[in-house]
Amino acid sequence: MSQTSPSQDLLSARETCRLLGISPATLYAYVSRGLLESRPGPDHRSRLYLRQDVERLAQRQRAGRGEARGAAQSLDRGLPVLETRISLIHPDDGPYYRGRSAIALVREGATLEEAARLLWDCGEDDPFDAPVPAAWPATVAPIAGDATLPPLERAMAAFPLLALEERHSLNAATRTRHRVAATLLRQNAALLVARSPATAPVHALLANAWAPRDAGFEDLVRAALVLCADHELNVSAFAARVVASTGAHLHATVCSGLAALSGPRHGGATARAYALIGDALQSASPREAIASRWQRGDDLPGFRHALYPHGDPRAAELLVRLRDCAPDAAKMDALDALVAATEEISGQRPNIDFVLAAICHAHALPATPALVMFAAGRLAGWLAHALEQQAQGGLIRPRARYAGAAPMPE
């Protein structure tokens, strides 16, 4: 018999096994592989499972073999749909950029610009060696300098106008396109913090906007940007590739990536993780706050990643670095205790969204810089996918399997 909570429909292990047609042993295997999540039952010995997750998995099992099934699964972390040379996600080591570990790049001191050159396959060419105009065009200046606008909306409003100023926006020459991409990377960072474009490294521009003259924080931002630079065919990268496949200029692909990132299930996850941290740390017992949330069937923003069943390596790397430069040891201890309690209660480990939010909490910043770091870094990957898609050619135009009402007879 199913059991319910105020916020979610939860199923017992027996009913879950019945709906999926599996044994308890297989159910436990599904949980260990990250295909299903379990929650503590009312007697603290039994386990409960989210009905929506069980039904989604059952639907996949019922789907027939062949082309239709593969296409449907591919749209939700399923089968590969595109060939790329840009990045590889390894479940234990995190992303690799053209065969180079992103975590190793961070430890070697790489900047976002250097990661971008690798992702764009620039070779010996350095598209960042050209200066960036120090002032915004007159058509863009009122928007670019308006700090009252949200960062993503400010950037999305400015880029179409900047495209009108770029005479090489549709130039197909590889080096020219790399230089346009380099300008976009710098302009995007400046737009996100309402500053003027600069030739300084992106991490320096951002860190100076939030915590000037803090070398440890600046290096932490550098690491975060490199680890956010690309993550294979995520939602925003796919959106950028679709737009790029039409032959649109790079400014348009950047806008599509920013638009996809603005959703609460993608870039908005940093704000939800920030709120979770704040609510937990302000409660009388952070541990009980997490346990209560988990018992109700609520999700834990900033924890678990479907592609990293043993924990997000990017988050682990950033947490080590955050501990080394956190200005308030007591606050860092509280964040570490929150991570430990959440893993003990739910079995879930922090992902990149949590650590970006934790960086903001540790340095007494609002939630916005977490999203800005994500957007500033990930733009390098969007541009890589756009460049690769247009070099490969071809229009991305999948087909839909119609499931609506039958056509009416004339």
Side-chain angles (χ1 to χ4, degrees):
M1 180 177 180
S2 65
Q3 303 186 40
T4 59
S5 75
S7 60
Q8 296 283 356
D9 195 0
L10 300 173
L11 302 175
S12 67
R14 177 178 294 180
E15 187 163 4
T16 298
C17 288
R18 181 182 64 80
L19 289 174
L20 294 175
I22 59 176
S23 67
T26 302
L27 174 60
Y28 302 146
Y30 281 3
V31 173
S32 67
R33 289 161 52 194
L35 297 176
L36 285 174
E37 291 182 16
S38 66
R39 309 292 172 97
D43 59 4
H44 299 290
R45 292 190 302 274
S46 61
R47 307 298 294 179
L48 301 176
Y49 304 84
L50 288 175
R51 178 184 289 275
Q52 61 182 14
D53 290 348
V54 174
E55 291 180 343
R56 184 183 301 116
L57 187 56
Q59 184 178 13
R60 287 186 177 183
Q61 290 179 336
R62 290 193 299 268
R65 300 286 177 182
E67 183 177 336
R69 180 191 183 206
Q73 289 188 342
S74 295
L75 297 179
D76 184 14
R77 297 187 177 94
L79 302 173
V81 296
L82 289 172
E83 183 177 283
T84 181
R85 297 178 180 271
I86 295 171
S87 62
L88 166 71
I89 295 177
H90 194 283
D92 296 321
D93 302 333
Y96 280 74
Y97 302 157
R98 294 191 183 273
R100 297 286 308 282
S101 164
I103 291 176
L105 289 171
V106 164
R107 293 174 180 174
E108 293 167 8
T111 64
L112 177 62
E113 289 83 350
E114 290 168 337
R117 289 180 58 197
L118 177 61
L119 289 167
W120 303 344
D121 197 21
C122 291
E124 296 301 317
D125 181 40
D126 184 3
F128 294 97
D129 60 7
V132 177
W136 295 110
T139 55
V140 177
I143 298 170
D146 188 349
T148 65
L149 294 173
L152 298 190
E153 284 73 8
R154 184 168 50 242
M156 284 190 285
F159 275 125
L161 298 175
L162 288 170
L164 299 177
E165 304 285 336
E166 178 55 71
R167 64 188 181 91
H168 296 296
S169 61
L170 294 176
N171 192 310
T174 300
R175 288 199 173 192
T176 300
R177 291 172 64 72
H178 286 164
R179 276 159 175 70
V180 172
T183 299
L184 281 170
L185 191 79
R186 286 167 162 167
Q187 289 176 331
N188 180 60
L191 287 168
L192 290 172
V193 290
R195 297 290 180 95
S196 297
T199 56
V202 167
H203 69 269
L205 174 71
L206 298 183
N208 186 60
W210 301 323
R213 296 176 297 280
D214 185 334
F217 177 73
E218 182 176 308
D219 192 63
L220 184 62
V221 173
R222 175 195 65 81
L225 293 176
V226 172
L227 292 175
C228 287
D230 193 60
H231 208 233
E232 196 224 58
L233 206 59
N234 58 81
V235 175
S236 51
F238 185 68
R241 286 194 82 120
V242 170
V243 172
S245 76
T246 70
H249 51 67
L250 294 179
H251 293 72
T253 66
V254 165
C255 283
S256 65
L258 289 167
L261 191 66
S262 68
R265 296 177 65 185
H266 193 8
T270 57
R272 296 172 61 227
Y274 186 92
L276 173 69
I277 295 171
D279 292 345
L281 295 186
Q282 291 169 16
S283 67
S285 170
R287 179 186 179 81
E288 287 303 314
I290 294 295
S292 177
R293 186 183 183 104
W294 186 247
Q295 180 70 43
R296 290 195 305 267
D298 294 347
D299 66 343
L300 299 174
F303 287 87
R304 186 178 179 269
H305 196 294
L307 301 181
Y308 298 114
H310 307 299
D312 188 339
R314 302 168 300 171
E317 178 70 18
L318 282 179
L319 270 175
V320 171
R321 292 174 175 272
L322 176 57
R323 293 186 191 104
D324 289 342
C325 70
D328 186 331
K331 187 176 290 187
M332 192 64 232
D333 288 343
L335 288 168
D336 279 333
L338 179 60
V339 169
T342 302
E343 183 175 356
E344 182 181 342
I345 292 166
S346 68
Q348 297 184 0
R349 296 178 179 178
N351 60 32
I352 191 80
D353 300 314
F354 175 87
V355 184
L356 292 176
I359 289 172
C360 294
H361 271 283
H363 287 84
L365 296 171
T368 301
L371 177 58
V372 168
M373 283 186 280
F374 195 107
R378 187 56 57 86
L379 184 118
W382 300 337
L383 289 167
H385 284 280
L387 291 165
E388 182 180 65
Q389 181 63 39
Q390 292 186 339
Q392 290 176 351
L395 182 69
I396 298 177
R397 203 296 188 190
R399 292 299 308 279
R401 183 163 59 91
Y402 182 66
M408 297 295 290
E410 295 294 337

